[in-house]
Amino acid sequence: MAAATELAAYAEATAACERCRLAAGRTQVVFGSGSPTAELMFVGEAPGFHEDQQGVPFVGQAGKLLDRLLGGIGVTRADVYVANVIKCRPPGNRDPQPDEIEACESHLFRQIELIQPTVVATLGNFATKLLSGRPLGITRVHGQEQEVTLGGRSVLLYPIYHPAAALYTPAMLKVLESDFARIPSLLDGEVAGPLPPAPVAPAPGPLVMAEPVQLGLF
């Protein structure tokens, strides 16, 4: 109950956050949702249109797919905690800017500190790079767990493709299902071992899509 009370109080305090320019264009802060004592926490990039309207992360098509993937491992949304690196919607679903990430990241770290998850699954590039402290994108590291210190405690970081990736590339669904299938064993403490030191990755080229979509999925 203490964790739930502290998390609710922090959510209330964060609702009026004006640390960066995104506060001017939001409908509301999308703090996060789920169990305040979850062993499994998911971290995405930023709210989209529907999330900004409803105040809950992952409520659009990507959210429906997330629910389906969770169901595949016998878990519901109420069993986990879902949040984003950025708590306010960037205009036009553009990429978060470095200063916006810097302004907002302490909110995420405080959430992790209060929830104390065993596994933090990062969805897509932005969350993975921020929480791993490594420059490699999700294509290189998905499905490869590593121990990191977040919120003052050791957690198992598990990078996964953002569910939206499968909405635009259907073949990605099999990859997501395979990565999700490993989550129960990770929660049980079955770890493959530490990753080797990461080389510095070259900067990715521009991603061109047929319709506007939030980047950071790959």
Side-chain angles (χ1 to χ4, degrees):
M1 290 300 294
T5 300
E6 287 189 68
L7 194 62
Y10 191 65
E12 184 176 353
T14 305
C17 179
E18 295 184 350
R19 292 182 180 178
C20 76
R21 68 182 72 87
L22 296 181
R26 72 182 181 224
T27 300
Q28 58 191 308
V29 169
V30 183
F31 181 75
S33 66
S35 170
T37 57
E39 288 190 62
L40 174 60
M41 182 174 179
F42 289 91
V43 179
E45 178 182 335
F49 173 80
H50 297 290
E51 289 77 13
D52 177 65
Q53 295 295 311
Q54 299 182 39
V56 179
F58 286 85
V59 295
Q61 291 301 311
K64 292 178 181 179
L65 180 52
L66 176 61
D67 291 342
R68 172 183 164 187
L69 291 164
L70 288 172
I73 59 172
V75 175
T76 69
R77 186 76 75 98
D79 300 318
V80 305
Y81 195 89
V82 183
N84 285 303
V85 172
I86 299 294
K87 307 304 183 188
C88 300
R89 182 195 180 198
N93 287 3
R94 64 157 171 75
D95 289 353
Q97 299 300 306
D99 62 317
E100 295 164 354
I101 294 174
E102 183 178 359
C104 205
E105 64 185 13
S106 64
H107 292 321
L108 175 62
F109 293 142
R110 179 58 175 158
Q111 286 175 299
I112 295 172
E113 182 180 12
L114 291 172
I115 296 166
Q116 299 187 6
T118 300
V119 175
V120 175
T122 51
L123 302 173
N125 265 331
F126 282 89
T128 297
K129 290 180 179 181
L130 173 66
L131 297 186
S132 69
R134 295 159 57 95
L136 296 180
I138 192 66
T139 302
R140 293 281 299 277
V141 300
H142 76 90
Q144 302 176 49
E145 70 276 9
Q146 61 176 298
E147 292 186 13
V148 298
T149 299
L150 299 174
R153 66 191 304 270
S154 178
V155 302
L156 199 61
L157 192 74
Y158 187 55
I160 305 175
Y161 281 106
H162 195 290
L167 301 179
Y168 294 91
T169 309
M172 196 68 70
L173 181 58
K174 293 296 184 183
V175 179
L176 273 165
E177 290 174 338
S178 177
D179 286 346
F180 265 76
R182 288 202 57 230
I183 290 177
S185 65
L186 295 177
L187 290 170
D188 288 337
E190 299 176 20
V191 182
L195 295 178
V200 176
L207 179 61
V208 179
M209 294 193 173
E211 57 183 294
V213 61
Q214 195 163 357
L215 303 183
L217 309 183
F218 305 98

